[in-house]
Amino acid sequence: MFNLILNENMKIYRRLRTWILIAILILIVLAAFIIIYYASPKPINFNLWDGALLGEKLSIAALFVAIIIAADSVAGEFSGGTIKLLLIRPASRSKILLSKYISIVVFLVILLILLFVTSILLSGLFFGFKGAAEPFTYIGAGGVSHQISMVSHVFGAYAFESVELLLILTMAFMLSTVFRSSAIAISVSIVALFVGGIIGNIIMPFSWAKYYLFLNTDLSVYMYDKAPIKGMTLSFSIIVLIIYFLIFNVLSWTIFKKRDVAS
């Protein structure tokens, strides 16, 4: 299994396209800091953790990069004609697909770490390494003010954001496996990411809307006691997300194991 994962990682990182996408991601973060630095009125009240949170807001760019890689993970094997060479190995289809999935998840994690580190460094370079010890204040239910450490808030924000990114990435991987088309996987995933929230706001008045994927992906709302729909809880949303996660993966594994490679 380790060799399969290693092989999949080699496929990802030996491609020039991967490094170009990573460079674009870093440039996007740099552009955001340049805009804030020159467009904001002086003096700018921007501390170290504000920079980290800006990186979290830009994590959607990291997701786009990961979606492109995930979409090509399986579909690229079919379009390139290398799927037959891959399947003649002694490893089972399940292990092959699992190695691909683990590789893209690790790739997403690496992108998020890169995003966090880059944001911290750029924040320090542009605005100084200050404000690390400041607390984070938020208003919870009933208008009650709460304070937590900025470290907890920042890492909590990244953790909650990672849940949504993982679900979308898993969906992109599933679409790549089912339709064997990188274009379909990329376009559908990106459209779902942008349109999903809009649809959620439209259907919110309906009772069944609480089972809708994109009304459950933002778990950070529960940090501030602000459920999307009355009656929804953190545990409820986690269960819903687990169900979607299992559905996406069951579809991927079932179809990939039964697919006729010659077709």
Side-chain angles (χ1 to χ4, degrees), residues 183-195:
I184 292 177
I186 293 171
S187 57
V188 172
S189 299
I190 292 177
V191 169
L193 184 62
F194 282 106
V195 180

Side-chain angles (χ1 to χ4, degrees), residues 190-254:
I190 292 177
V191 169
L193 184 62
F194 282 106
V195 180
I198 298 174
I199 295 176
N201 290 330
I202 295 174
I203 66 174
M204 198 175 289
F206 300 99
S207 59
W208 50 264
K210 61 183 180 180
Y211 301 105
Y212 178 62
L213 172 62
F214 292 98
L215 285 179
N216 289 277
T217 51
D218 186 8
L219 299 179
S220 64
V221 296
Y222 296 109
M223 290 179 63
Y224 315 114
D225 300 319
K226 296 178 181 178
I229 298 176
K230 188 176 181 180
M232 290 179 64
T233 62
L234 177 60
S235 58
F236 173 83
S237 290
I238 290 175
I239 292 172
V240 171
L241 293 178
I242 290 174
I243 292 173
Y244 275 102
F245 179 80
L246 292 175
I247 290 173
F248 291 154
N249 280 293
V250 167
L251 283 173
S252 297
W253 261 259
T254 301

Side-chain angles (χ1 to χ4, degrees), residues 47-69:
N47 63 41
L48 191 66
W49 295 116
D50 289 329
L53 289 173
L54 176 60
E56 184 265 329
K57 298 300 181 184
L58 295 173
S59 62
I60 189 172
L63 178 60
F64 286 164
V65 174
I67 284 176
I68 293 172
I69 301 301

Side-chain angles (χ1 to χ4, degrees), residues 47 49-50 53 131-139 145-154 157 220 223-224:
N47 63 41
W49 295 116
D50 289 329
L53 289 173
E134 293 182 8
F136 175 75
T137 304
Y138 68 94
I139 306 301
S145 178
H146 302 273
Q147 276 193 347
I148 59 174
S149 71
M150 280 298 296
V151 175
S152 299
H153 173 64
V154 169
S220 64
M223 290 179 63
Y224 315 114

Side-chain angles (χ1 to χ4, degrees), residues 61-183:
L63 178 60
F64 286 164
V65 174
I67 284 176
I68 293 172
I69 301 301
D72 194 53
S73 181
V74 178
E77 300 282 3
F78 283 96
S79 60
T82 56
I83 187 66
K84 293 181 181 180
L85 297 175
L86 188 63
L87 295 182
I88 61 174
R89 296 186 176 190
S92 65
R93 290 194 179 196
S94 295
K95 286 186 177 180
I96 290 172
L97 194 64
L98 180 59
S99 67
K100 287 182 173 292
Y101 181 71
I102 291 175
S103 297
I104 63 165
V105 171
V106 170
F107 181 65
L108 175 63
V109 172
I110 291 173
L111 289 179
L112 290 176
I113 294 173
L114 176 64
L115 199 62
F116 175 79
V117 173
T118 304
S119 299
I120 288 287
L121 291 176
L122 288 176
S123 179
L125 291 173
F126 278 95
F127 307 104
F129 294 92
K130 59 184 181 181
E134 293 182 8
F136 175 75
T137 304
Y138 68 94
I139 306 301
V144 179
S145 178
H146 302 273
Q147 276 193 347
I148 59 174
S149 71
M150 280 298 296
V151 175
S152 299
H153 173 64
V154 169
F155 282 99
Y158 271 86
F160 284 132
E161 183 67 20
S162 297
V163 174
E164 181 174 6
L165 302 186
L166 177 63
L167 262 293
I168 302 299
L169 186 66
T170 304
M171 184 175 68
F173 184 77
M174 179 269 294
L175 292 169
S176 173
T177 305
V178 172
F179 294 103
R180 297 183 297 180
S181 170
S182 299

